[in-house]
Amino acid sequence: MVIIMDNRNIRTGRIIPLEGYCDQPYIVKTDDGAWLMTVTTGAGMEGASGQHVVSKRSFDRGESWQDEIDVSPADLPESSYSVLYKTKYGRIYCFYNYNADNLRAVRADDPPFGGGLCRRVDTQGHFGFKYSDDHGKSWSDKYYDIPQRRFEVDRMNPYSGEILFFWNVGKPLELENEVYVPIYKIRAFGEGFMRYSEGALLHSDNIGSERDPERLHWETLPDGDIGIRAPHEISVISEEHSFVPLSDGSVFCVFRTVSGHPWCAYSRDKCHTFSQPEPMRYANGRLMKHPRAANFIWKLDNGRYVYWFHNHGGQGFDDRNPAWLCGATEYPAEDGVRLAFGQPVPVLYDDDPMIRMSYPDFVVEDGEYYITETQKNVARVHHIDRELIEGLFHQSGNSGRISGVTSSAKSTINNESTGLPIVDRMPRLKPFSVRDNNSHDFHSISTDYSFTLGFSYEFGDESEVLFSTLVGSCGIELCWNAGMSRLELLCGDGQYMSCFWDDDLLLCRRGRHEIRIVFDGGVKAVYFVTDGIFCDGGEERQFGFTRFDRHMQSLNGLTSPGVNKLSDLVYIEGIALYE
C-alpha cells in the first residue's frame, strides 16, 4: 500500500552547504563508511566561469558534511557534471566534463546566440577523470582524458568533430566488473541550448583490475555511427540517458525527449547495440508522460527498480515540481527480460510551483531510503518514508493498477479505525491551511492534510449531480457531465473556489467505474484514479493533476450531503492511500 506521506516538502530536507549554483549531488558509499558526494558548483549561474567540481564526505547520512575538496579548482577552466564510480578494491573514479582547452566561446547556430557564438563552454571539450585511493579525502593531481570515437553527430558539428560538444548527468553502469559511463553528444548549440542530441557510453573492460590509469582501455558504444535516440521526426532531442542492469545481463535505458514522453531502449549484448527506442509505457500499455527534465532509474534488489520522472506531457525545461516515482519489476519477454512500470506516486514537492527540482540520486542505507536533489541553488538530502517506496511494489500485480481507498484503509476519526462510508453524515474535514496564531503577522501554515474520496458509479447518458455538500461557496460538489464525458468537481472554503475535471478516455466508456479522487494537501493538487489507473490527461491535456490554491482552508459544507447518488463513498482522514 502506497501512502501519501506528510514529509515530502523539499524544504524539510537536509541542506548540503555549497557555494551557490549546485548540480548533481551524487553519492557513493566508501569502504570507510562515509557517503562521498561530488557536486558541480560555483559562485555564478549555471555555466558561468569558475564552475568546478567539489567533493564532500558525511558519516551521518547527510546531516553534516566535511572533508570538502576541490576535485578541480575554480581558478582552472570550467569542470562540470561529475559522476562517481567505486571499484571493488575501493578506488573511486570521478568522471567529469573539462574545458581543458580553455575556450571562451564556441560556434553556434544563429539565432538565438548573437553572432553565432555560444559563450557557455561547460558542455564541450574533454571528458575524463581523477581518482581517489583514500575514500575521497584526496584526489589525483592529474586529470586523465578519455578518448571518444566520433559519431555522425560529432562530424556534423561546426568543427567537424575536432571539438566535441557533449555532457553527462548519468551515473556509471557496472556490468561484470566493467564500467560504462554515459555521455550525450550534441550537434549544435542554438534554440533550447542543445540541438540534436543522442546518447553514448564510454566503456572500460579493465577498470576493475588495472590500477595504472594510463593503461585503462576505452571504447565508445554503441557500435556504428549513431547513438541512442528517438526518431528525429518525433524528437531531435534525446539526452540524459539513465542505464540499469537487468537480471539476465541485459541493460535498460531511459532518456528525455521533447515529445512529451520519455523514451527507452534495451541492449542484449553489453551495450554494443540497442533495440529500436520506443516511448515508455505503463504495464497496462498506456504511454507515460515527461518533459525535458532528468528522468532516472535505479535498481534496488530482487528485480525491483525505482523510476523518477515528472508525470506530465510538457516539452520544455519547466514544471519539475512535483517529482513522482514509479516502481518497476522484471518480467520475461520474447527478446529477454523487460520492465513493467506501476502507477505513479508524488514523492517531493515545493510550495512554489515554479521551483524546479532535478538531478536526483537514490541511496539505500540499512533498509532506509534517501534521495538527493537540487534546485540549482540549493541541494538537499531527503529521508523518504519506507512505506512510500515499498508501496510502489504492492500495487495489483504488473497490470499497472492502483485501486484507491477501500474500507480496510486505516485512519482515525473519533478514535475509530475507518475507511468511513458517507451515508447521512459528512465527517468534518481538516483544513489544508491554518493561521499561525503564535506569529506576529499571523501568516498561514500548510497542514499537508490529504484525503481521498472513493466511490463506484454507473456512468450513463444522463448528466447529473452525484454528490454535494456545497452550501454557498463552501463544500464539495461532484457532477457527471455526460455531454462532455467528464467528471466535474467543484469545491471551496468560502474564499477560494476550485473546479477540477477528469475527461480521461477511461470515462468515455460508459458503464460502472471505480473512482478515487485524491486531495493532496502537500502538493496542493487534486488527481483522479479511474479503475486503478492514474488519470494523466492522456494526449488531450498536459497535466492530469490540477493544483488548488495553497491558502485553501477547509472544504466543509453541509454536514449531511444534500445529494448522494454514489455507492461505497469513502472518506479517509489525514492521509490518502492507494491500495
Side-chain angles (χ1 to χ4, degrees):
M1 191 174 293
V2 175
I3 305 175
I4 296 180
M5 310 302 292
D6 61 1
N7 65 342
R8 297 168 295 142
N9 192 316
I10 59 173
R11 296 173 191 262
T12 65
R14 307 163 187 171
I15 293 178
I16 303 167
L18 292 160
E19 298 172 26
Y21 162 68
C22 51
D23 221 340
Q24 294 174 235
Y26 296 167
I27 290 170
V28 297
K29 291 186 279 188
T30 66
D31 290 345
D32 68 346
W35 283 10
L36 173 66
M37 178 196 70
T38 60
V39 63
T40 303
T41 189
M45 299 291 286
E46 178 178 346
S49 297
Q51 182 169 294
H52 65 295
V53 174
V54 302
S55 66
K56 293 173 176 279
R57 288 163 30 97
S58 175
F59 286 93
D60 52 14
R61 306 185 186 189
E63 291 281 359
S64 62
W65 296 89
Q66 54 271 338
D67 300 324
E68 181 171 326
I69 301 291
D70 284 337
V71 180
S72 183
D75 58 0
L76 294 180
E78 293 80 358
S79 58
S80 313
Y81 314 127
S82 60
V83 294
L84 295 170
Y85 171 70
K86 183 168 76 73
T87 66
K88 288 182 171 54
Y89 66 84
R91 173 175 287 176
I92 298 168
Y93 288 89
C94 177
F95 300 99
Y96 58 94
N97 274 61
Y98 185 36
N99 180 18
D101 300 321
N102 198 19
L103 299 180
R104 303 326 309 159
V106 292
R107 299 171 196 157
D109 289 354
D110 189 19
F113 293 101
L117 289 176
C118 175
R119 300 189 186 280
R120 180 173 167 177
V121 290
D122 58 332
T123 48
Q124 59 79 41
H126 297 254
F127 192 75
F129 62 86
K130 288 187 176 182
Y131 66 88
S132 174
D133 285 328
D134 58 5
H135 319 296
K137 288 180 282 189
S138 67
W139 295 91
S140 60
D141 291 332
K142 184 175 179 180
Y143 172 86
Y144 297 86
D145 195 70
I146 298 175
Q148 296 184 43
R149 178 168 60 86
R150 272 55 173 170
F151 284 12
E152 178 185 71
V153 66
D154 301 312
R155 296 191 299 273
M156 293 178 70
N157 80 22
Y159 298 93
S160 302
E162 292 183 14
I163 296 174
L164 295 175
F165 297 169
F166 69 95
W167 87 107
N168 174 44
V169 299
K171 297 190 75 172
L173 166 74
E174 184 179 51
L175 286 177
E176 300 176 2
N177 213 27
E178 301 177 12
V179 73
Y180 301 75
V181 186
I183 55 170
Y184 321 121
K185 292 175 172 288
I186 308 163
R187 193 178 87 185
F189 297 113
E191 184 179 3
F193 188 36
M194 296 93 164
R195 303 188 66 185
Y196 297 95
S197 53
E198 59 191 53
L201 291 153
L202 300 175
H203 167 229
S204 174
D205 62 359
N206 66 340
I207 196 169
S209 57
E210 177 56 64
R211 303 197 182 204
D212 182 351
E214 302 279 9
R215 301 179 66 180
L216 295 180
H217 304 156
W218 293 100
E219 65 173 337
T220 306
L221 299 175
D223 296 341
D225 213 24
I226 296 175
I228 308 162
R229 72 186 192 196
H232 278 170
E233 62 268 22
I234 302 296
S235 174
V236 297
I237 298 297
S238 297
E239 58 198 21
E240 300 197 338
H241 301 57
S242 177
F243 298 82
V244 286
L246 306 181
S247 62
D248 66 348
S250 301
V251 171
F252 172 83
C253 85
V254 59
F255 54 94
R256 74 186 191 184
T257 68
V258 289
S259 69
H261 304 285
W263 279 58
C264 64
Y266 292 83
S267 176
R268 311 296 183 186
D269 57 6
K270 300 182 69 173
C271 301
H272 283 275
T273 63
F274 280 82
S275 63
Q276 181 65 38
E278 60 193 90
M280 287 262 285
R281 297 179 183 271
Y282 292 105
N284 58 22
R286 196 168 199 193
L287 286 171
M288 304 176 82
K289 299 168 76 171
H290 180 70
R292 192 175 180 179
N295 62 138
F296 290 169
I297 188 165
W298 303 286
K299 186 171 186 176
L300 296 184
D301 52 26
N302 302 321
R304 302 190 308 167
Y305 303 79
V306 173
Y307 172 58
W308 161 294
F309 72 130
H310 293 288
N311 195 25
H312 69 85
Q315 299 181 357
F317 295 107
D318 293 331
D319 300 311
R320 303 180 180 189
N321 177 16
W324 300 69
L325 296 181
C326 282
T329 54
E330 296 184 351
Y331 71 95
E334 290 184 2
D335 60 341
V337 166
R338 295 177 72 91
L339 294 182
F341 290 84
Q343 293 295 296
V345 173
V347 61
L348 291 172
Y349 69 89
D350 190 275
D351 290 331
D352 182 349
M354 296 297 182
I355 293 292
R356 305 195 311 184
M357 67 195 76
S358 197
Y359 300 104
D361 199 3
F362 191 88
V363 183
V364 183
E365 184 80 38
D366 297 330
E368 298 295 324
Y369 301 102
Y370 301 85
I371 289 178
T372 65
E373 52 78 30
T374 179
Q375 303 96 59
K376 299 297 182 92
N377 71 325
V378 179
R380 292 182 173 95
V381 178
H382 304 271
H383 179 227
I384 306 299
D385 290 277
R386 187 183 305 171
E387 294 93 334
L388 193 152
I389 300 298
E390 294 298 327
L392 297 173
F393 305 98
H394 295 162
Q395 298 171 1
S396 301
N398 282 334
S399 65
R401 291 174 54 84
I402 48 178
S403 61
V405 180
T406 71
S407 59
S408 63
K410 302 297 183 181
S411 186
T412 301
I413 300 176
N414 298 327
N415 297 318
E416 295 178 0
S417 179
T418 68
L420 186 64
I422 301 172
V423 182
D424 298 319
R425 183 172 178 80
M426 178 73 177
R428 301 303 291 171
L429 301 171
K430 293 181 180 179
F432 299 120
S433 176
V434 297
R435 186 185 303 279
D436 183 359
N437 289 314
N438 295 317
S439 68
H440 291 294
D441 61 358
F442 299 101
H443 60 262
S444 62
I445 301 174
S446 174
T447 65
D448 293 330
Y449 173 61
S450 302
F451 68 94
T452 296
L453 292 175
F455 59 91
S456 174
Y457 179 69
E458 184 83 23
F459 291 90
D461 295 328
E462 297 295 327
S463 299
E464 62 178 334
V465 177
L466 308 183
F467 176 80
S468 181
T469 64
L470 203 62
V471 53
S473 57
C474 296
I476 298 171
E477 184 167 282
L478 188 63
C479 303
W480 166 239
N481 186 327
M484 300 188 70
S485 295
R486 74 185 194 184
L487 196 59
E488 298 175 346
L489 173 69
L490 182 67
C491 57
D493 67 354
Q495 294 188 74
Y496 300 96
M497 291 290 290
S498 294
C499 183
F500 312 94
W501 67 90
D502 178 24
D503 53 3
D504 195 278
L505 292 177
L506 289 170
L507 285 179
C508 293
R509 301 197 302 266
R510 298 297 197 265
R512 182 163 294 277
H513 294 287
E514 297 290 331
I515 306 294
R516 300 297 180 261
I517 304 176
V518 181
F519 293 77
D520 187 332
V523 178
K524 304 294 186 297
V526 169
Y527 32 95
F528 293 74
V529 179
T530 301
D531 297 331
I533 306 301
F534 182 91
C535 297
D536 64 5
E539 294 299 319
E540 290 70 39
R541 290 185 286 127
Q542 178 178 341
F543 296 92
F545 58 94
T546 307
R547 297 182 187 272
F548 56 86
D549 194 280
R550 64 183 300 268
H551 300 294
M552 182 84 78
Q553 298 178 48
S554 172
L555 300 183
N556 289 310
L558 296 172
T559 56
S560 296
V563 179
N564 188 0
K565 298 182 180 180
L566 306 177
S567 60
D568 303 321
L569 182 61
V570 178
Y571 164 80
I572 299 295
E573 183 188 36
I575 54 177
L577 302 176
Y578 294 161
E579 184 187 54

